[in-house]
């Protein structure tokens, strides 16, 4: 579906590795005071003074984590930064730097890498992170992107997965399942396109869910919001693999159980209508579909009044004793054990 808009193809070997790095990194700015040295030496130098440093890495592989048939390279660059800074926000920390490493096969011209780096540059600006290093190398097949995100936080702010207590409320930001259904629509259109390349898809009815898949955003606002509300979550995780699998992570690491309420799941109206069109149960999608990049956290019951009525937050359940297990309470009031059917790259 994505046309090659740029007919110019400059071979990467024309530039050489150093020329390529210089070319791709020329738009990166340094804005964080903790960056003492960015790109240009053997290593970057950071100084977090009295803050703690938080570090997280993700690897994205063509054919496993993304499909260039419908993922424009600029979006891919943007998304690869988003998924990493999301992990930093999930620690209740502020992302400050990233490193970007890319391996490409010779089927990618310079113009393709420029698009990828345009997306990375845009995201670095949006999330105010300095690009302080990385590597570029060749791969035998396909595109591989590895990004490491670095962040900072006061020690007291840091929020782990293991701090949830029985009776805490389970809270999620935004809505669930849209990125997964966006992917289903894109997969369907790809099949149609393969049969008839002249068929221009009309995707107007799917704009929200497709955007959630192709251009997700990390919840950079939540840390500030929680701070303003004087709430310190007892545990937190971001939703990359799917709600059920993230709930199970919080429960296992905190040594507790959970009751999740089907009727409380926040669903966008577009998601509901597309689920009807595909004849898929929206609860299943909300629970098992991944890549929402919303934040899932627990708070003390005493903090409930502070978030009540806030459109950013939905209370979807509460934590119980470990011996009570991890369950979904359906609309019909039946109790079903919650299983981790989250998206898993190792299944592919
Ligand atoms: Mg995560």
């Amino acid at each position: 579906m994505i046309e090659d808009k740029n007919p110019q193809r400059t071979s990467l070997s024309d530039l050489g590795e150093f020329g390529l790095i210089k070319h791709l990194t020329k738009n990166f700015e340094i804005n964080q005071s903790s960056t003492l040295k960015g790109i240009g030496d053997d290593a970057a130098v950071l100084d977090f003074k009295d803050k703690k440093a938080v570090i997280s890495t993700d690897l994205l592989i063509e054919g496993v984590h993304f499909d260039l048939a419908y993922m424009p390279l600029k979006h891919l660059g943007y998304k690869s930064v988003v998924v990493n800074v999301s992990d930093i926000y999930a620690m209740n920390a502020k992302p400050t730097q990233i490193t970007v490493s890319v391996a490409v096969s010779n089927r990618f011209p310079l113009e393709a890498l420029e698009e990828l780096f345009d997306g990375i540059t845009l995201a670095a600006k949006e999330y105010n992170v300095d690009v302080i290093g990385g590597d570029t190398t060749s791969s035998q097949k396909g595109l591989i992107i590895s990004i490491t995100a670095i962040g900072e936080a006061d020690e007291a702010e840091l929020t782990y997965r293991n701090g949830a207590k029985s009776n805490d409320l389970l809270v999620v930001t935004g809505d669930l399942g849209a990125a997964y259904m966006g992917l289903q629509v894109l997969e369907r259109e790809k099949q149609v396109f393969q049969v008839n390349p002249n068929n221009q898809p009309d995707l107007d009815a799917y704009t929200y869910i497709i955007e959630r898949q192709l251009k997700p955003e990390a919840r950079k606002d939540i840390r500030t919001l929680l701070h303003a509300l004087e709430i310190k979550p007892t545990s937190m995780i971001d939703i990359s693999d799917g709600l059920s699998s993230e709930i199970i992570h919080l429960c296992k690491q905190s040594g507790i159980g959970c009751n999740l309420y089907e009727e409380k799941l926040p669903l966008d109206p577009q998601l509901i209508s597309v689920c009807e069109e595909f004849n898929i149960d929206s609860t299943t999608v909300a629970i098992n579909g991944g890549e929402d990049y919303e934040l899932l956290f627990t708070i003390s019951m005493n903090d409930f009044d502070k978030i009540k009525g806030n459109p950013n937050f939905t209370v979807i359940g509460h934590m119980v004793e470990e011996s009570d297990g991890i369950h979904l309470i359906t609309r019909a009031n039946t109790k079903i054990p919650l299983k981790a059917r989250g998206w898993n790259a190792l299944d592919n």
Side-chain angles (χ1 to χ4, degrees):
M1 264 182 289
I2 307 303
E3 301 289 326
D4 194 354
K5 282 168 289 183
N6 195 342
Q8 202 184 334
R9 292 178 67 90
T10 310
S11 168
L12 293 178
S13 52
D14 290 353
L15 283 105
E17 187 186 344
F18 299 114
L20 177 63
I21 290 173
K22 205 169 172 197
H23 182 81
L24 292 175
T25 59
K26 65 180 190 298
N27 293 327
F28 292 146
E29 292 172 10
I30 297 296
N31 292 311
Q32 295 287 343
S33 58
S34 51
T35 309
L36 301 190
K37 182 76 192 179
I39 294 167
D41 211 305
D42 296 285
V45 182
L46 307 178
D47 180 4
F48 290 105
K49 302 207 161 65
D50 54 350
K51 305 256 186 194
K52 298 295 170 201
V54 180
I55 300 178
S56 177
T57 294
D58 255 308
L59 189 58
L60 296 170
I61 306 212
E62 183 179 355
V64 178
H65 303 100
F66 58 88
D67 184 339
L68 290 175
Y70 45 71
M71 184 61 138
L73 281 160
K74 189 172 176 181
H75 285 70
L76 179 63
Y78 193 91
K79 183 171 176 174
S80 60
V81 175
V82 165
V83 305
N84 276 276
V85 296
S86 178
D87 279 324
I88 303 293
Y89 292 121
M91 298 300 293
N92 204 22
K94 182 182 86 166
T96 45
Q97 289 89 9
I98 54 171
T99 65
V100 178
S101 297
V102 177
V104 273
S105 69
N106 55 14
R107 83 170 209 264
F108 292 89
L110 173 66
E111 289 72 19
L113 277 190
E114 282 175 344
E115 288 214 15
L116 182 75
F117 273 73
D118 278 353
I120 291 169
T121 307
L122 197 63
K125 215 172 220 148
E126 176 66 25
Y127 293 94
N128 193 20
V129 290
D130 296 345
V131 183
I132 55 158
D135 198 7
T136 320
T137 186
S138 55
S139 82
Q140 290 204 318
K141 196 167 162 273
L143 174 63
I144 298 166
I145 306 168
S146 173
I147 292 191
T148 297
I150 299 159
E152 61 174 38
D154 290 330
E155 190 168 10
E157 292 178 291
L158 286 171
T159 305
Y160 297 91
R161 294 178 179 181
N162 64 3
K165 303 264 185 309
S166 180
N167 293 323
D168 281 355
L169 299 173
L170 182 67
V171 184
V172 71
T173 63
D175 57 72
L176 298 168
Y180 177 83
M181 282 317 288
L183 183 62
Q184 302 315 303
V185 170
L186 290 166
E187 291 277 4
R188 184 181 68 181
E189 296 309 323
K190 181 183 162 189
Q191 308 292 338
V192 173
F193 183 78
Q194 279 168 348
V195 175
N196 180 5
N198 295 321
N199 192 334
Q200 281 299 316
D202 179 7
L203 298 175
D204 283 358
Y206 312 106
T207 46
Y208 177 67
I209 61 169
I210 288 177
E211 176 153 331
R212 292 281 281 171
Q213 170 59 224
L214 291 186
K215 193 172 177 288
E217 300 288 358
R219 295 304 303 253
K220 67 175 181 181
D221 53 329
I222 298 302
R223 180 175 180 269
T224 320
L225 197 52
L226 289 174
H227 198 259
L229 294 169
E230 296 180 0
I231 295 174
K232 159 97 197 283
T234 51
S235 68
M236 185 149 62
I237 191 168
D238 70 322
I239 303 181
S240 49
D241 292 344
L243 180 68
S244 63
S245 110
E246 317 302 0
I247 288 176
I248 290 166
H249 280 308
L250 291 184
C251 286
K252 298 271 178 218
Q253 296 203 23
S254 297
I256 52 167
C258 177
N259 285 339
L260 170 70
Y261 291 88
E262 181 182 21
E263 62 178 359
K264 303 287 187 196
L265 293 170
L267 306 177
D268 187 84
Q270 190 173 94
L271 174 90
I272 295 170
S273 67
V274 175
C275 283
E276 280 169 10
E277 184 190 331
F278 277 70
N279 203 16
I280 300 180
D281 177 40
S282 58
T283 298
T284 308
V285 168
I287 289 178
N288 296 318
E291 300 198 287
D292 291 312
Y293 299 105
E294 296 292 342
L295 292 171
L296 176 73
F297 57 93
T298 52
I299 60 170
S300 157
M301 199 110 83
N302 299 331
D303 285 333
F304 175 62
D305 282 344
K306 299 177 189 170
I307 63 157
K308 199 167 61 182
N310 189 313
N312 290 289
F313 303 119
T314 309
V315 177
I316 54 173
H318 62 88
M319 312 320 269
V320 296
E321 297 295 332
E322 188 172 27
S323 54
D324 293 330
I326 307 170
H327 292 96
L328 173 72
I329 315 293
T330 68
R331 284 196 190 86
N333 209 23
T334 44
K335 215 171 171 181
I336 304 172
L338 201 62
K339 297 217 169 62
R341 282 192 220 91
W343 179 87
N344 185 344
L346 300 177
D347 289 344
N348 284 356

